[in-house]
Amino acid sequence: MALGKSAAVVIGSFDLGESDRVVTFYSREHGKVRGVAKASRRMRSRFGGALELFTLGELVFFDTGRTDLVRVDHFDVLDPFAAIRTDLERLGQGAWIVECVNRLTAERDPHAALFGLLTRALRALASAAGPPRVAICFGARCLDVLGHRPRLDRCVECGRAYPFARPALDEGGVVCEACAAHATGATSISPAAVAALGRLRAAGWEEALTQPLGRVEAELRNALESHMTRLIGQPTRTAKFLRSAAAIRDERGASMSGVNMDVIVSLCKRRGFIFQSSEIYGGTGSCWDYGPLGVELKNNIKRVWWRDFVQQRDDMVGLDASILMHAMVWKASGHVDHFTDPMVDCRECKHRFRADQVDEIDWTHHCPATKGNKFTIKAGESCKHCGERRTLCPNCGKGELTAPRQFNLMFKTFMGPVEEDAAVTYLRPETAQGIFVNFDNVLQSTRRKLPFGVAQIGKAFRNEITPGNFIFRTREFEQMEIEFFVNPHDRLEGRPADEVWHDRWIADCQAWFARYGLAAENVKLHEHARDELAHYSKRTVDLLYKFPMGWSELMGIANRTDFDLKQHAKFSGKSLTYFDEERKEHLVPFVIEPSAGVDRALLAFLLDAYQEEEVRGEKRVVLRFHPELAPIKIAVLPLLKKRPEIVAACHELHHRLTRRWLTLYDDTAAIGRLYRRQDEVGTPYCVTVDVKTVGDAEKGESGDGKVTIRERDTMQQIRVPMTELDAVFGRLLDAGAPWSEVAAGYPRAEG
Ligand code: GAP
């Protein structure tokens, strides 16, 4: 029997029998060791609380050689890292760190560098360091020391040198967009996140823990989890726990998004993003029009979604179905019978409310205790004068409400000149059905093999009873939907393929919103409980965003099973099956449906980008849009509009640059004002032409041909030759190079 001794950390444990415990240690001298700690669960155990997860101690064990399990003799605590257990986030990230060590190492395979990294990470986690940051620094270094360092200098598939515009991360490192299309496991990653990962790896441990990462922190954390998943072969158990911990933390303490919706509505109108529909007639309140900047922003959102989810994946195709469809579509889909909300009407003012939401709105009260004075009382509260609760109409405070009635949300219309029952049809309430009824057309025309998806972006219409919260809930809106068809008999990673693909789509959608700027703390997942599920759904997960009115649905990702295809087959009499060549059988595919609202996504991007800050004693409003979403990419501004040479140079630049990137020329105010205006609409770069650029002919001075580029977020300015502008903006806007990297190559200009 051999005696072993080493410093070790507890990285896992489970109960054995009545009173024992099997504990997994990661030790400096022996690597991973599993041992039985006899009687360690007894009240008066000699181990006391020493075997808690994360504890660093001096381990003494006996190896009998008869089984893989050693016998734990002593574990003398060196540092319990107790602070890690004090809050859920620390605990979660700590659990992730020890799980990675546990799953990536073999037993009795010592690795001193990994042991050192593990104890350093736990020490940082027990101190004040931000838990996600510690996990990122640990994850990046853990891959390095175990020989899984992802390559960031070239595409690991084709060898093309990095940078490329839209990298993805696969097992060995970055892959270019062309190779990513064939790599099933690759996850998209922004160039900014690749650069940040490179910087973190190059920095020392302490420096890495404090380096500013900004918005890419969440993206990096997700990218490392995906990378671990690829190495381990399945997601870590702690990733799920971390998501729940974040949800609990948000629900407990965090206040709702700091931005007031009125501020956004006013900015949108003032700067031409969004106007109320038919405003000159008093507006509708349930429909909105996108102005010059709004339409650019909306088109950019749809363009990057289509590019990322359709054009750059080889398992996706697109479709554009008509809005008006055969009336039977809506019978088969269940919308005629089930797409209803219970509603109540006021008998007096005729206002209509959703029965289930009537107590969620502020109510008007004519108080009998104050001679009928009219008050507006907060939703759910009673009158502080008479103590009454709401029983009448919340709007007028006088009328009785009718009993609830089911109200179909579809807009009815007539196809053709005659308004008769046979001509009734509906404006589509979702784009999804256009995909289902074309399933066979797409299959036959493209000869696709399962799994594959069909995407569509288009208008949908719902006669919502209570539209509101600006563009959050409207009666006319746009959807970006995917129906991803999967063979239900296939198994992936030991699980039914539809369940695995559902998880993958949830992760991809979450990563997509993070990539284009939504802060991780403003987004969370909501798993539908059994009684919340739609009749067709096996499982539905919503992405919620922290809107000013509270956590609300941004998009849904549902497993709709084979419900829709079977319904349409039944109602149309046409077969909507797929022939599985391998099993020689016809089957009805299951479908995973990621469904997002364009308008809701736009609202979330606007809210997340909005920031107010003080600059030299003045308020600066800035929309920190991701450059790909920003409506205008570059503004060309003359420092002096009275100098014709300056204006001419600006026009020349404007025309040249706008061929590649939407560029605007503005000379209607002094330069400070012009910069503020561009900040307020989220333009990432301003180019200023000044006297030094063009020179002064009267004084016989020639210009240096250089202009100033100002970056929106840092407000830094650099001096760049006009001839190099295309190359500079190509790096910044097309290749996604970080500003710091590009700016480092040019002299700073005075602000
Ligand atoms: N095909 C599935 C489907 O339509 P949904 O949850 O009803 O599912 C999907 O809608 C997404 O469409 C929502 O997550 C939301 O982003 C958007 N959406 C739904 N109703 C909307 C409305 N009245 N106004 C704006 N967006 C809406």
Side-chain angles (χ1 to χ4, degrees):
M1 183 148 44
L3 179 76
K5 258 177 139 185
S6 175
V9 173
V10 178
I11 61 169
S13 72
F14 62 87
D15 293 346
L16 183 71
E18 289 281 290
S19 57
D20 303 342
R21 188 182 289 168
V22 174
V23 185
T24 310
F25 300 91
Y26 193 74
S27 69
R28 186 190 290 136
E29 312 297 331
H30 310 276
K32 189 160 73 182
V33 176
R34 284 187 312 133
V36 181
K38 284 262 176 212
S40 56
R41 282 161 49 224
R42 293 239 169 93
M43 286 287 276
R44 265 184 263 148
S45 156
R46 68 203 156 93
F47 292 105
L51 297 174
E52 292 280 339
L53 197 64
F54 313 126
T55 303
L56 170 68
E58 219 24 81
L59 171 69
V60 179
F61 64 87
F62 290 107
D63 188 355
T64 61
R66 287 198 296 273
T67 72
D68 289 344
L69 292 178
V70 300
R71 210 179 75 210
V72 181
D73 190 65
H74 273 87
F75 189 60
D76 296 330
V77 176
L78 296 172
D79 193 334
F81 296 130
I84 301 178
R85 286 177 283 272
T86 53
D87 74 67
L88 275 180
E89 181 152 42
R90 248 165 247 287
L91 181 67
Q93 302 290 4
W96 184 78
I97 288 171
V98 294
E99 184 181 353
C100 290
V101 173
N102 200 345
R103 293 179 143 216
L104 291 172
T105 56
E107 291 194 22
R108 310 298 178 91
D109 184 13
H111 203 307
L114 181 62
F115 181 78
L117 175 64
L118 173 63
T119 49
R120 227 177 310 145
L122 294 178
R123 199 161 286 127
L125 208 54
S127 71
R133 175 61 70 86
V134 178
I136 290 170
C137 292
F138 167 82
R141 282 168 162 71
C142 176
L143 296 173
D144 286 3
V145 299
L146 291 179
H148 301 299
R149 182 187 180 97
R151 282 195 75 151
L152 302 181
D153 59 336
R154 54 187 62 253
C155 171
V156 291
E157 291 293 327
C158 68
R160 191 178 139 200
Y162 187 75
F164 17 86
R166 282 173 285 280
L169 198 59
D170 205 358
E171 200 164 326
V174 284
V175 281
C176 66
E177 44 280 69
C179 295
H182 309 289
T184 47
T187 44
S188 61
I189 183 166
S190 67
V194 175
L197 184 57
R199 282 199 306 276
L200 283 184
R201 290 201 313 206
W205 175 256
E206 293 302 330
E207 193 194 341
L209 282 178
T210 50
Q211 235 181 52
L213 283 183
R215 285 170 184 273
V216 298
E217 182 169 284
E219 195 191 340
L220 268 185
R221 183 68 188 83
N222 287 340
L224 284 166
E225 168 58 24
S226 307
H227 210 72
M228 291 295 177
T229 302
R230 273 189 288 271
L231 292 176
I232 296 167
Q234 59 188 172
T236 59
R237 285 187 292 267
T238 32
K240 201 168 163 200
F241 168 78
L242 274 168
R243 283 196 291 273
S244 326
I248 291 168
R249 183 201 58 210
D250 293 339
E251 255 146 32
R252 267 204 208 140
S255 63
M256 286 307 150
S257 159
V259 194
N260 181 325
M261 191 78 96
D262 293 342
V263 171
I264 295 293
V265 176
S266 145
L267 172 79
C268 283
K269 177 166 171 143
R270 192 159 31 86
R271 301 312 314 272
F273 280 94
I274 301 168
F275 310 122
Q276 204 181 126
S277 162
S278 325
E279 196 180 353
I280 58 167
Y281 289 101
T284 63
S286 59
C287 300
W288 299 85
D289 298 342
Y290 287 82
L293 293 185
V295 68
E296 295 295 340
L297 176 60
K298 197 178 189 196
N299 283 344
N300 288 344
I301 293 172
K302 291 190 282 185
R303 188 178 49 78
V304 293
W305 186 89
W306 192 261
R307 182 194 64 199
D308 297 346
F309 286 128
V310 183
Q311 295 171 332
Q312 294 196 341
R313 291 180 63 126
D314 61 2
D315 54 2
M316 291 287 305
V317 292
L319 183 83
D320 186 10
S322 64
I323 289 172
L324 294 174
M325 300 173 75
H326 197 288
M328 283 303 278
V329 169
W330 308 110
K331 193 78 191 139
S333 67
H335 282 84
V336 171
D337 296 324
H338 301 297
F339 196 54
T340 55
D341 272 343
M343 90 198 167
V344 290
D345 290 304
C346 171
R347 294 188 199 279
E348 195 78 21
C349 71
K350 309 296 176 209
H351 227 84
R352 180 167 278 180
F353 308 91
R354 258 175 68 170
D356 54 340
Q357 288 177 352
V358 74
D359 280 323
E360 289 169 22
I361 36 184
D362 296 350
W363 56 287
T364 305
H365 178 49
H366 299 275
C367 175
T370 59
K371 299 188 184 147
N373 276 348
K374 187 174 155 187
F375 298 104
T376 303
I377 299 176
K378 284 230 158 301
E381 292 181 6
S382 50
C383 171
K384 60 177 185 263
H385 304 288
C386 66
E388 260 183 39
R389 292 198 150 268
R390 188 204 60 76
T391 51
L392 301 172
C393 166
N395 181 50
C396 66
K398 291 181 179 155
E400 299 265 345
L401 295 177
T402 60
R405 281 183 293 144
Q406 289 301 328
F407 174 75
N408 196 299
L409 301 185
M410 283 196 294
F411 279 99
K412 210 183 232 183
T413 188
F414 298 93
M415 197 95 89
V418 189
E419 294 195 4
E420 59 182 18
D421 282 355
V424 164
T425 190
Y426 305 90
L427 301 189
R428 68 181 176 199
E430 61 173 13
T431 60
Q433 298 304 324
I435 300 179
F436 294 126
V437 298
N438 276 298
F439 171 74
D440 200 50
N441 285 334
V442 174
L443 193 62
Q444 297 310 327
S445 58
T446 64
R447 302 264 142 215
R448 289 268 153 181
K449 294 268 171 282
L450 290 178
F452 71 90
V454 184
Q456 168 159 227
I457 299 180
K459 290 263 184 178
F461 303 83
R462 295 182 190 179
N463 201 0
E464 300 280 4
I465 299 168
T466 47
N469 284 314
F470 193 28
I471 52 171
F472 177 82
R473 182 171 288 109
T474 53
R475 295 196 169 119
E476 176 181 341
F477 55 97
E478 259 182 295
Q479 289 186 313
M480 309 186 277
E481 294 201 293
I482 292 168
E483 304 303 330
F484 194 81
F485 300 99
V486 181
N487 187 335
H489 303 143
D490 280 351
R491 291 185 76 78
L492 284 174
E493 299 159 13
R495 296 163 60 205
D498 59 305
E499 294 178 12
V500 174
W501 276 107
H502 196 179
D503 284 341
R504 288 181 183 173
W505 276 108
I506 294 166
D508 283 359
C509 292
Q510 216 178 351
W512 190 83
F513 278 106
R515 174 172 173 185
Y516 293 103
L518 295 196
E521 65 269 22
N522 291 337
V523 179
K524 69 176 181 180
L525 297 178
H526 167 70
E527 181 91 37
H528 282 222
R530 219 158 245 298
D531 56 357
E532 253 183 293
L533 288 177
H535 57 284
Y536 51 72
S537 173
K538 174 174 167 184
R539 180 187 173 215
T540 297
V541 173
D542 287 341
L543 274 187
L544 305 187
Y545 181 76
K546 208 196 278 178
F547 288 99
M549 65 283 185
W551 286 104
S552 310
E553 180 184 330
L554 174 62
M555 71 169 297
I557 305 128
N559 183 341
R560 290 178 81 124
T561 66
D562 53 7
F563 174 84
D564 301 272
L565 289 180
K566 278 191 171 159
Q567 284 293 103
H568 287 302
K570 187 167 128 196
F571 278 73
S572 67
K574 301 279 176 340
S575 158
L576 294 178
T577 56
Y578 169 88
F579 186 66
D580 180 345
E581 303 275 357
E582 221 173 278
R583 298 183 180 90
K584 303 282 178 240
E585 63 176 5
H586 289 275
L587 58 95
V588 182
F590 269 32
V591 71
I592 306 301
E593 180 194 63
S595 170
V598 180
D599 314 76
R600 247 178 233 188
L602 186 145
L603 180 58
F605 284 126
L606 259 172
L607 288 161
D608 227 275
Y610 184 90
Q611 266 172 16
E612 286 178 13
E613 54 193 36
E614 205 181 286
V615 176
R616 295 190 203 107
E618 268 184 46
K619 181 168 121 178
R620 174 171 100 120
V621 171
V622 55
L623 286 177
R624 293 185 195 272
F625 283 132
H626 187 288
E628 293 221 54
L629 300 189
I632 300 164
K633 312 294 182 206
I634 305 164
V636 179
L637 313 170
L639 195 74
L640 294 172
K641 72 169 175 179
K642 290 196 180 117
R643 293 284 298 268
E645 319 87 276
I646 293 182
V647 173
C650 283
H651 285 314
E652 194 276 317
L653 280 181
H654 174 212
H655 289 131
R656 194 172 101 203
L657 296 173
T658 212
R659 279 188 226 126
R660 287 176 68 183
W661 309 282
L662 187 58
T663 305
L664 172 120
Y665 168 80
D666 191 3
D667 64 6
T668 55
I671 193 72
R673 281 276 295 280
L674 295 179
Y675 282 153
R676 294 285 176 272
R677 274 190 207 159
Q678 295 307 317
D679 289 343
E680 210 186 17
V681 299
T683 306
Y685 304 105
C686 291
V687 171
T688 308
V689 179
D690 56 26
V691 182
K692 275 207 273 175
T693 317
V694 294
D696 191 336
E698 278 178 23
K699 290 185 188 159
E701 289 167 8
S702 55
D704 64 4
K706 291 181 180 169
V707 292
T708 299
I709 301 181
R710 172 190 182 267
E711 198 259 348
R712 178 194 65 201
D713 296 347
T714 57
M715 293 187 286
Q716 281 172 2
Q717 303 186 5
I718 53 171
R719 211 57 195 162
V720 177
M722 281 196 279
T723 48
E724 291 179 26
L725 284 183
D726 290 73
V728 165
F729 286 122
R731 285 174 70 196
L732 289 167
L733 293 167
D734 296 345
W739 166 257
S740 55
E741 196 180 297
V742 175
Y746 293 94
R748 285 281 167 88
E750 290 301 309

